[in-house]
Amino acid sequence: MSFDLVLFGGTGDLAWRKLLPALLQAHRHGSLPAGGRIVGVARDDLSDAQYRDLIRSRFEGVEGDKQPSEDEFARFAELLHYQRMDLTQPADYQRLKDRLAERNADVVVMYLATAPQLFTVACEQLGAAGLATPHTRVVLEKPLGHDLQSNRAINAAVRGVWGERQIFRIDHYLGKPSVQNLLALRFGNALFEPWWRRETIASIEITIAERLGVEKRGAFYDQTGALRDMVQNHALQLLCAIAMEPPINAHADAIRDEKLKVLRSLVPWTDAALAQNVVRGQYGAGQLAGEPVRAYRAEDGVAPDSHTETFVALRAGIANWRWAGVPFYIRTGKRLAAHEAHIAIHLRPTPHPIYPTPLVCGTNRLVIHLQPRDGLALHLLAAASETRGVRALAEAPSLTPVQLDLDFQQRFGAERVGAYERLLLDVIAGRLNLFVRADEQEAAWRWVEPIMQHWDAQNARGEGPRPYAAGTWGPGAASALVARDANTWLEEC
Ligand code: BG6
């Protein structure tokens, strides 16, 4: 099957950091279908050869097994082509059309890795130029809009040109092997289903903590913030994977229907809940790995009086039979103490304790480690603390936490495929399972919008996010949020 992958934003940050490395890996692994062509599109005036040289420089200094050999890069470079385009100019789309007509590939993928302001015009122009044929697919990167209304406007523009089955909305968390495993764990094993519910589960924590700050994206991030950047999409998609009902099969719409039901069941916000159950923070100067780091407001591109949040912690609820009353805590932030994402499922204590000393955090929990480690840990209690001769054996031994560990990286190692590699291959093959449908996105925006409005009102009163020092776990109010339910975050256990 031949394909043309047209990479709008072909010299941009995303192509540079994620997409071209992922395509190179897919090519090295032999998983990219033969007969492919990658056409980088940007405004720069470059020839094919100059584009290849530029991309080659991307891989200089790459270490370890990600470093391609000369020969590997040379073979990959044969796929690379370049087309100069100004996305607002109709004539440039005609030139692209001529370029694509040279070979009439079986599948044409239009990957919009551009600034989101260009999505609408690019889709309209591609449609007007006759480039939205039935064998074309379009890939949209987040953020898809700034709020519900702008999200709907983009989706309307895209759907004016393509059918829903041709639209691939990326949430790269869905491509992560660890998230694949989460679904496999739940729906490939009978073991979990009987206790995957409110009767056994006391609370669920979803943490996506980053050590990184805003890097070179200060100007973008200052308009975005952690709620739009991470919660509306990645964190809510993880919540769906945890909370959804078993789909009737593994096809895209069966899975997406179930995720949508979860998003629609999220307990709507009230003023009281917004005041109590949402914490926003912004990092100040601090220390990370012994190095001083500057405050968010001192980052390039960030307003010195910015009220943008770099941290969010919230308590959500799901109003359905399986989950009623179970708190779902979501927490994400930049410049935190660790680079670590996990989902911790805390089980209820035994109904009638027969052993002494109830331990703090001593109940059973299942921790799904998403990154950088990728695996499962089942925390159990065992009677391991008694040793002969130290003291008289008690009638009932006190319990000690022990842990069953599974490390997927060790188990599957080199066979693992990275998130973008996986998603790009899915687009080329036309598999929609790991992509987000418009109605899911809308439901997620609908749920986060009251939080945005609540913060706008606070900002207008001069009340900004709570400060936290870089290198910590965020504002103390985040701990207070879970402590009100007599819970703790995983690292506090
Ligand atoms: C992106 C956000 O979607 O996800 C970034 O825009 C964030 O701000 C990134 O750093 C995190 O992704 P990952 O895969 O590194 O956890």
Side-chain angles (χ1 to χ4, degrees):
M1 180 200 63
S2 61
F3 71 88
D4 271 341
L5 171 59
V6 185
L7 211 50
F8 294 88
T11 57
D13 183 65
L14 185 73
W16 187 257
R17 282 189 307 116
K18 303 277 192 188
L19 304 180
L20 287 158
L23 287 163
L24 173 69
Q25 289 309 323
H27 190 250
R28 289 174 82 200
H29 294 153
S31 36
L32 208 57
R37 185 166 73 160
I38 298 163
V39 184
V41 167
R43 292 170 69 127
D44 316 65
D45 209 356
L46 298 176
S47 64
D48 284 358
Q50 284 169 321
Y51 187 58
R52 287 174 190 155
D53 286 346
L54 177 73
I55 303 309
R56 179 196 301 273
S57 71
R58 161 69 179 83
F59 297 102
E60 278 162 14
V62 172
E63 283 168 11
D65 59 2
K66 294 254 162 78
Q67 164 84 62
S69 67
E70 274 294 307
D71 193 40
E72 280 172 333
F73 187 81
R75 272 184 278 127
F76 177 63
E78 286 170 19
L79 272 56
L80 295 174
H81 299 261
Y82 184 77
Q83 180 76 26
R84 191 197 159 281
M85 273 183 83
D86 175 343
L87 295 189
T88 61
Q89 295 303 315
D92 286 3
Y93 291 84
Q94 283 305 326
R95 275 192 279 277
L96 176 66
K97 191 176 181 185
D98 296 342
R99 189 94 193 249
L100 296 178
E102 284 165 8
R103 62 199 293 267
N104 227 352
D106 299 329
V107 171
V108 178
V109 176
M110 304 289 185
Y111 198 126
L112 299 185
T114 61
Q117 305 85 280
L118 292 169
F119 287 174
T120 304
V121 65
C123 289
E124 286 167 0
Q125 291 295 333
L126 286 166
L131 278 165
T133 57
H135 62 280
T136 315
R137 297 175 188 141
V138 64
V139 185
L140 302 166
E141 264 294 337
K142 69 170 264 286
L144 233 67
H146 201 66
D147 53 16
L148 179 60
Q149 196 188 357
S150 53
N151 173 259
R152 279 187 172 153
I154 294 173
N155 276 327
V158 184
R159 278 192 294 201
V161 180
W162 280 282
E164 186 66 38
R165 299 204 65 78
Q166 294 173 281
I167 306 173
F168 291 71
R169 296 179 194 81
I170 292 238
D171 183 312
H172 78 278
Y173 267 59
L174 294 181
K176 287 184 187 276
S178 46
V179 179
Q180 298 299 299
N181 256 320
L182 171 55
L183 296 175
L185 178 81
R186 286 200 58 201
F187 305 129
N189 297 284
L191 182 67
F192 299 98
E193 169 56 22
W195 61 264
W196 208 263
R197 57 190 65 251
R198 63 191 301 280
E199 287 79 3
T200 317
I201 293 178
S203 68
I204 295 185
E205 165 195 339
I206 299 172
T207 286
I208 311 174
E210 295 185 271
R211 273 215 176 102
L212 290 179
V214 292
E215 306 298 293
K216 293 182 184 141
R217 299 193 308 154
F220 158 79
Y221 195 87
D222 210 32
Q223 300 299 314
T224 308
L227 186 73
R228 291 180 173 93
D229 191 42
M230 299 293 289
V231 176
Q232 186 272 342
N233 33 71
H234 306 324
L236 285 182
Q237 284 292 330
L238 293 180
L239 178 136
C240 286
I242 287 287
M244 68 195 264
E245 294 298 314
I248 53 167
N249 57 40
H251 295 154
D253 278 330
I255 295 174
R256 293 166 356 156
D257 287 347
E258 296 305 336
K259 287 196 290 168
L260 180 64
K261 277 200 242 165
V262 174
L263 292 165
R264 289 191 173 153
S265 316
L266 283 165
V267 177
W269 294 104
T270 59
D271 288 344
L274 286 167
Q276 281 203 347
N277 293 342
V278 185
V279 174
R280 65 171 166 158
Q282 186 188 74
Y283 64 82
Q287 291 266 332
L288 261 174
E291 295 291 317
V293 291
R294 58 185 166 171
Y296 174 71
R297 289 179 176 190
E299 301 275 15
D300 295 338
V302 171
D305 57 351
S306 171
H307 277 164
T308 300
E309 78 288 356
T310 60
F311 175 96
V312 180
L314 58 82
R315 179 192 197 276
I318 298 178
N320 66 17
W321 275 42
R322 190 185 285 270
W323 296 117
V326 177
F328 282 74
Y329 305 110
I330 291 177
R331 176 178 58 159
T332 184
K334 296 215 179 268
R335 288 282 188 236
L336 295 184
H339 166 55
E340 149 106 29
H342 58 246
I343 300 170
I345 299 171
H346 299 271
L347 273 60
R348 294 187 189 283
T350 51
H352 169 63
I354 61 164
Y355 293 104
T357 43
L359 303 163
V360 180
C361 300
T363 49
N364 301 139
R365 60 184 181 275
L366 175 68
V367 182
I368 301 164
H369 292 281
L370 302 172
Q371 63 186 31
R373 208 185 120 202
D374 170 8
L376 290 181
L378 183 59
H379 295 246
L380 304 167
L381 295 174
S385 61
E386 291 189 307
T387 44
R388 210 171 262 143
V390 177
R391 59 187 159 81
L393 295 184
E395 188 177 54
S398 57
L399 301 183
T400 304
V402 290
Q403 183 169 326
L404 268 173
D405 255 320
L406 177 61
D407 184 327
F408 290 128
Q409 192 69 32
Q410 250 179 23
R411 174 65 185 79
F412 299 121
E415 298 145 49
R416 316 219 79 192
V417 174
Y420 269 102
E421 185 180 342
R422 163 82 207 231
L423 294 174
L424 280 158
L425 293 172
D426 280 353
V427 175
I428 294 168
R431 290 187 290 261
L432 275 159
N433 301 34
L434 301 180
F435 296 84
V436 184
R437 211 167 53 191
D439 48 8
E440 284 179 75
Q441 271 187 342
E442 288 189 12
W445 276 116
R446 198 171 292 116
W447 188 71
V448 298
E449 266 203 341
I451 306 176
M452 287 157 29
Q453 288 156 3
H454 173 66
W455 288 344
D456 286 346
Q458 285 188 333
N459 293 345
R461 296 196 298 270
E463 295 163 27
R466 292 166 192 268
Y468 62 96
T472 65
W473 279 99
S479 298
L481 172 81
V482 293
R484 271 208 307 276
D485 300 330
N487 287 326
T488 56
W489 298 103
L490 192 61
E491 79 281 356
E492 296 169 334
C493 273

